[in-house]
PDB file of all heavy atoms in Angstrom:
ATOM      1  N   ARG A   8      47.124 -53.290  84.594  1.00  0.00           N
ATOM      2  CA  ARG A   8      46.979 -52.999  83.233  1.00  0.00           C
ATOM      3  C   ARG A   8      46.931 -54.297  82.363  1.00  0.00           C
ATOM      4  O   ARG A   8      46.257 -54.378  81.425  1.00  0.00           O
ATOM      5  CB  ARG A   8      48.100 -52.121  82.756  1.00  0.00           C
ATOM      6  CG  ARG A   8      48.048 -50.752  83.420  1.00  0.00           C
ATOM      7  CD  ARG A   8      49.139 -49.886  82.921  1.00  0.00           C
ATOM      8  NE  ARG A   8      49.184 -48.522  83.480  1.00  0.00           N
ATOM      9  CZ  ARG A   8      50.107 -47.551  83.367  1.00  0.00           C
ATOM     10  NH1 ARG A   8      51.120 -47.853  82.575  1.00  0.00           N
ATOM     11  NH2 ARG A   8      49.937 -46.392  83.999  1.00  0.00           N
ATOM     12  N   SER A  62      10.068 -52.056  41.107  1.00  0.00           N
ATOM     13  CA  SER A  62      10.407 -50.590  40.871  1.00  0.00           C
ATOM     14  C   SER A  62       9.110 -49.765  41.032  1.00  0.00           C
ATOM     15  O   SER A  62       8.038 -50.183  40.715  1.00  0.00           O
ATOM     16  CB  SER A  62      10.893 -50.411  39.451  1.00  0.00           C
ATOM     17  OG  SER A  62      12.066 -51.168  39.204  1.00  0.00           O
ATOM     18  N   ASP A  86      30.679 -11.054   3.951  1.00  0.00           N
ATOM     19  CA  ASP A  86      29.878 -10.267   2.969  1.00  0.00           C
ATOM     20  C   ASP A  86      29.323 -11.176   1.919  1.00  0.00           C
ATOM     21  O   ASP A  86      30.017 -12.121   1.409  1.00  0.00           O
ATOM     22  CB  ASP A  86      30.699  -9.231   2.319  1.00  0.00           C
ATOM     23  CG  ASP A  86      31.195  -8.096   3.342  1.00  0.00           C
ATOM     24  OD1 ASP A  86      30.530  -8.071   4.413  1.00  0.00           O
ATOM     25  OD2 ASP A  86      32.163  -7.455   3.096  1.00  0.00           O
ATOM     26  N   LYS A 124     -13.908  36.605 -36.101  1.00  0.00           N
ATOM     27  CA  LYS A 124     -14.003  36.342 -34.664  1.00  0.00           C
ATOM     28  C   LYS A 124     -15.082  37.046 -34.051  1.00  0.00           C
ATOM     29  O   LYS A 124     -15.360  38.238 -34.259  1.00  0.00           O
ATOM     30  CB  LYS A 124     -12.630  36.895 -34.102  1.00  0.00           C
ATOM     31  CG  LYS A 124     -12.487  36.547 -32.565  1.00  0.00           C
ATOM     32  CD  LYS A 124     -11.285  37.287 -32.005  1.00  0.00           C
ATOM     33  CE  LYS A 124      -9.961  36.707 -32.588  1.00  0.00           C
ATOM     34  NZ  LYS A 124      -8.849  37.235 -31.844  1.00  0.00           N
ATOM     35  N   PHE A 163      -7.593  28.055 -30.511  1.00  0.00           N
ATOM     36  CA  PHE A 163      -6.599  28.199 -29.451  1.00  0.00           C
ATOM     37  C   PHE A 163      -5.354  28.763 -30.036  1.00  0.00           C
ATOM     38  O   PHE A 163      -4.654  28.059 -30.851  1.00  0.00           O
ATOM     39  CB  PHE A 163      -6.364  26.794 -28.818  1.00  0.00           C
ATOM     40  CG  PHE A 163      -7.662  26.107 -28.247  1.00  0.00           C
ATOM     41  CD1 PHE A 163      -8.411  25.394 -29.066  1.00  0.00           C
ATOM     42  CD2 PHE A 163      -8.032  26.401 -26.908  1.00  0.00           C
ATOM     43  CE1 PHE A 163      -9.532  24.777 -28.605  1.00  0.00           C
ATOM     44  CE2 PHE A 163      -9.197  25.776 -26.408  1.00  0.00           C
ATOM     45  CZ  PHE A 163      -9.983  25.071 -27.320  1.00  0.00           C
ATOM     46  N   PRO A 185     -38.837  33.847 -48.616  1.00  0.00           N
ATOM     47  CA  PRO A 185     -38.948  34.412 -49.984  1.00  0.00           C
ATOM     48  C   PRO A 185     -38.157  35.734 -50.035  1.00  0.00           C
ATOM     49  O   PRO A 185     -37.639  35.997 -51.093  1.00  0.00           O
ATOM     50  CB  PRO A 185     -40.421  34.558 -50.211  1.00  0.00           C
ATOM     51  CG  PRO A 185     -41.146  33.670 -49.242  1.00  0.00           C
ATOM     52  CD  PRO A 185     -40.201  33.547 -48.082  1.00  0.00           C
ATOM     53  N   GLY A 201     -16.649  21.669 -25.668  1.00  0.00           N
ATOM     54  CA  GLY A 201     -15.781  20.548 -26.041  1.00  0.00           C
ATOM     55  C   GLY A 201     -14.552  20.532 -25.187  1.00  0.00           C
ATOM     56  O   GLY A 201     -14.323  21.420 -24.344  1.00  0.00           O
ATOM     57  N   ALA A 208       1.406  24.709 -22.090  1.00  0.00           N
ATOM     58  CA  ALA A 208       1.251  25.573 -20.974  1.00  0.00           C
ATOM     59  C   ALA A 208       1.622  27.017 -21.288  1.00  0.00           C
ATOM     60  O   ALA A 208       2.397  27.249 -22.254  1.00  0.00           O
ATOM     61  CB  ALA A 208       2.119  25.029 -19.798  1.00  0.00           C
ATOM     62  N   THR A 219     -18.402  29.551 -42.502  1.00  0.00           N
ATOM     63  CA  THR A 219     -19.345  28.846 -43.309  1.00  0.00           C
ATOM     64  C   THR A 219     -19.104  27.348 -43.188  1.00  0.00           C
ATOM     65  O   THR A 219     -18.071  26.942 -42.682  1.00  0.00           O
ATOM     66  CB  THR A 219     -19.174  29.210 -44.742  1.00  0.00           C
ATOM     67  OG1 THR A 219     -17.804  28.912 -45.211  1.00  0.00           O
ATOM     68  CG2 THR A 219     -19.440  30.605 -45.037  1.00  0.00           C
ATOM     69  N   ASP A 227     -27.177  34.936 -43.237  1.00  0.00           N
ATOM     70  CA  ASP A 227     -27.068  36.133 -42.409  1.00  0.00           C
ATOM     71  C   ASP A 227     -27.041  35.673 -40.930  1.00  0.00           C
ATOM     72  O   ASP A 227     -28.112  35.188 -40.407  1.00  0.00           O
ATOM     73  CB  ASP A 227     -28.315  37.059 -42.566  1.00  0.00           C
ATOM     74  CG  ASP A 227     -28.255  38.299 -41.789  1.00  0.00           C
ATOM     75  OD1 ASP A 227     -27.089  38.580 -41.298  1.00  0.00           O
ATOM     76  OD2 ASP A 227     -29.233  38.944 -41.636  1.00  0.00           O
ATOM     77  N   GLU A 241     -11.724  25.905 -18.538  1.00  0.00           N
ATOM     78  CA  GLU A 241     -11.282  25.162 -17.350  1.00  0.00           C
ATOM     79  C   GLU A 241     -10.150  24.170 -17.707  1.00  0.00           C
ATOM     80  O   GLU A 241     -10.264  23.469 -18.716  1.00  0.00           O
ATOM     81  CB  GLU A 241     -12.472  24.425 -16.707  1.00  0.00           C
ATOM     82  CG  GLU A 241     -12.136  23.631 -15.431  1.00  0.00           C
ATOM     83  CD  GLU A 241     -13.258  22.851 -14.858  1.00  0.00           C
ATOM     84  OE1 GLU A 241     -14.322  22.757 -15.543  1.00  0.00           O
ATOM     85  OE2 GLU A 241     -13.140  22.290 -13.771  1.00  0.00           O
TER      86      GLU A 241
END
Side-chain angles (χ1 to χ4, degrees):
R8 293 179 180 175
S62 300
D86 294 339
K124 185 188 292 186
F163 302 87
T219 59
D227 181 15
E241 182 181 7

